[in-house]
Amino acid sequence: MEDLGQVHQLLVHVSGYTLTFNLDVIFYSWIVMGLLLLFGFFTTRKKGMVPHTVQVVGELFVSNLYDLTEDVVGPDLAKTYAPLAIALFLFLLLCNWIGIFPPMEEPTKDLNTTLSMGFLGFVLSHYVGIRSKGIKEYLKGYFEPFFIMMPLNLIGELAKVVSISFRLFGNIMGGSIIIMVVSYLCFSLVLPPFLNAFFGLFVGAIQAFVFTMLTLVYISIQVK
């Protein structure tokens, strides 16, 4: 977090175009996915009626997020979308928390990460809407309550991606900037570690939860 402007990039030239890959985001995203795979492995390893510590933690995540998913999308759809909610929340949670441990950085501090997650929820929700309503009923919703409202309804749907993505990105990036500024002002004594823990643990968990719940709400709106 000491230098927000320093980015390790890979430039790939294809047919006169230059593709830019943020190596930091890719690297730390793969670390997060690796940690989640390990967590899943140790959670399901040697399962028993008397659960071990890791199994207890895993069951707490699954049971609570399943109940929340059931509240949002209903009992009938909870089995279908609870795995999505659990995976999305845990991924974003670790992405937000990994920056607590220097020199690691949060993948969600890059707008491309949050936009891709927002776009994923956007595509999924509309795909589900088309499957549940049919293409005619789905398109009809854009012309309600009046025909002339179609452009505004379309903009409103696209704005959901921007809103959900920029909210997560802004909070994580804003926290990094505040920590960096305060660190320089008081020479990294007492307050910056506290701020780091606050923005990393508390704000990171809240933002991961909000992002996940909003994704489920968008799906629920399209289905109902």
Side-chain angles (χ1 to χ4, degrees), residues 99-139:
I100 298 175
F101 308 99
M104 296 183 178
E105 294 188 0
E106 307 91 329
T108 46
K109 199 167 65 176
D110 188 288
L111 184 57
N112 293 305
T113 302
T114 59
L115 276 175
S116 63
M117 292 292 100
F119 188 70
L120 171 66
F122 173 82
V123 172
L124 179 61
S125 64
H126 286 276
Y127 170 75
V128 171
I130 293 173
R131 284 197 59 182
S132 62
K133 299 177 182 177
I135 187 65
K136 290 185 178 179
E137 285 296 321
Y138 167 78
L139 294 176

Side-chain angles (χ1 to χ4, degrees), residues 177-191:
I177 294 174
I178 291 173
I179 293 169
M180 182 187 66
V181 172
V182 175
S183 297
Y184 279 111
L185 290 176
C186 56
F187 307 103
S188 300
L189 297 175
V190 183
L191 188 58

Side-chain angles (χ1 to χ4, degrees), residues 59-204:
E59 290 180 354
L60 283 174
F61 274 115
V62 171
S63 61
N64 284 284
L65 287 172
Y66 184 89
D67 291 341
L68 288 171
T69 304
E70 194 174 49
D71 291 338
V72 176
V73 301
D76 296 334
L77 298 175
K79 291 183 179 180
T80 302
Y81 298 108
L84 169 68
I86 296 167
L88 182 60
F89 174 77
L90 290 178
F91 176 75
L92 292 176
L93 183 67
L94 286 188
C95 282
N96 295 341
W97 279 3
I98 198 172
I100 298 175
F101 308 99
M104 296 183 178
E105 294 188 0
E106 307 91 329
T108 46
K109 199 167 65 176
D110 188 288
L111 184 57
N112 293 305
T113 302
T114 59
L115 276 175
S116 63
M117 292 292 100
F119 188 70
L120 171 66
F122 173 82
V123 172
L124 179 61
S125 64
H126 286 276
Y127 170 75
V128 171
I130 293 173
R131 284 197 59 182
S132 62
K133 299 177 182 177
I135 187 65
K136 290 185 178 179
E137 285 296 321
Y138 167 78
L139 294 176
K140 182 181 177 181
Y142 287 95
F143 298 93
E144 294 177 349
F146 307 105
F147 179 84
I148 58 174
M149 296 296 291
M150 190 274 290
L152 291 178
N153 290 331
L154 185 60
I155 293 173
E157 291 298 320
L158 295 176
K160 291 178 181 178
V161 181
V162 178
S163 173
I164 193 173
S165 303
F166 275 76
R167 178 186 290 107
L168 177 58
F169 164 74
N171 279 277
I172 303 303
M173 176 60 80
S176 298
I177 294 174
I178 291 173
I179 293 169
M180 182 187 66
V181 172
V182 175
S183 297
Y184 279 111
L185 290 176
C186 56
F187 307 103
S188 300
L189 297 175
V190 183
L191 188 58
F194 170 77
L195 288 175
N196 194 13
F198 173 77
F199 282 105
L201 293 175
F202 181 72
V203 176

Side-chain angles (χ1 to χ4, degrees), residues 39 43 52-63 86 90:
F39 177 67
T43 299
H52 52 81
T53 304
V54 182
Q55 183 181 340
V56 170
V57 175
E59 290 180 354
L60 283 174
F61 274 115
V62 171
S63 61
I86 296 167
L90 290 178

